[in-house]
Amino acid sequence: MGAVRPDEKNSEGSPNVDPQAEENESPVHEVTLTPFFLSKYEMTQGQWQRFTGRNPSFYGPDREFGGNQHSLLHPMELVSWEDCQKVLDHLGLVFPTEAQWEYAARASTTTVWWTGDKEETLQGA
């Protein structure tokens, strides 16, 4: 985990080397994860409503945005971290750790972005 800017010891294109790395992203260190589950999708508004009895989402099923009608299948938004934590606790679930999230999001890649080392590789991804 972590990242460093390229220098004489860390060449661009090497694992954990990112030209935009911030000071607080170092030192690079190894993390060992135990098996974990991570949902493939965000919690939907319908799921949140079923679990809590309410839907505080701004982009709820009564809204249209960008010519698209929203529905309870859209992701939940406008809820606090604390509220999410309460719902997850009630369901016997937890937020992923930073290490779990990075591992899952990177899909075993070692490049700056999961699509490659250049920002242009994100286009169309």
Side-chain angles (χ1 to χ4, degrees), residues 62-75:
D62 58 335
R63 300 286 296 228
E64 186 178 310
F65 186 74
N68 297 314
Q69 182 67 40
H70 281 235
S71 75
L72 292 176
L73 296 176
H74 282 80

Side-chain angles (χ1 to χ4, degrees), residues 40-103:
K40 184 176 180 178
Y41 302 103
E42 301 94 340
M43 183 177 285
T44 67
Q45 294 176 29
Q47 289 169 324
W48 184 272
Q49 188 170 323
R50 212 169 13 258
F51 300 143
T52 67
R54 59 190 181 85
N55 181 7
S57 178
F58 180 78
Y59 297 102
D62 58 335
R63 300 286 296 228
E64 186 178 310
F65 186 74
N68 297 314
Q69 182 67 40
H70 281 235
S71 75
L72 292 176
L73 296 176
H74 282 80
M76 191 62 229
E77 34 82 18
L78 276 189
V79 289
S80 69
W81 184 92
E82 290 84 6
D83 286 345
C84 291
Q85 187 65 51
K86 287 177 192 173
V87 170
L88 290 176
D89 282 346
H90 179 74
L91 297 171
L93 302 171
V94 295
F95 279 118
T97 66
E98 181 182 0
Q100 289 170 332
W101 178 255
E102 185 168 333
Y103 176 82

Side-chain angles (χ1 to χ4, degrees), residues 9-61:
K9 291 191 287 184
N10 303 291
S11 62
E12 202 165 329
S14 298
N16 299 89
V17 176
D18 180 354
Q20 298 178 20
E22 299 290 332
E23 189 68 32
N24 64 354
E25 294 181 79
S26 64
V28 172
H29 57 284
E30 191 169 314
V31 175
T32 302
L33 296 173
T34 58
F36 65 97
F37 289 102
L38 185 65
S39 179
K40 184 176 180 178
Y41 302 103
E42 301 94 340
M43 183 177 285
T44 67
Q45 294 176 29
Q47 289 169 324
W48 184 272
Q49 188 170 323
R50 212 169 13 258
F51 300 143
T52 67
R54 59 190 181 85
N55 181 7
S57 178
F58 180 78
Y59 297 102

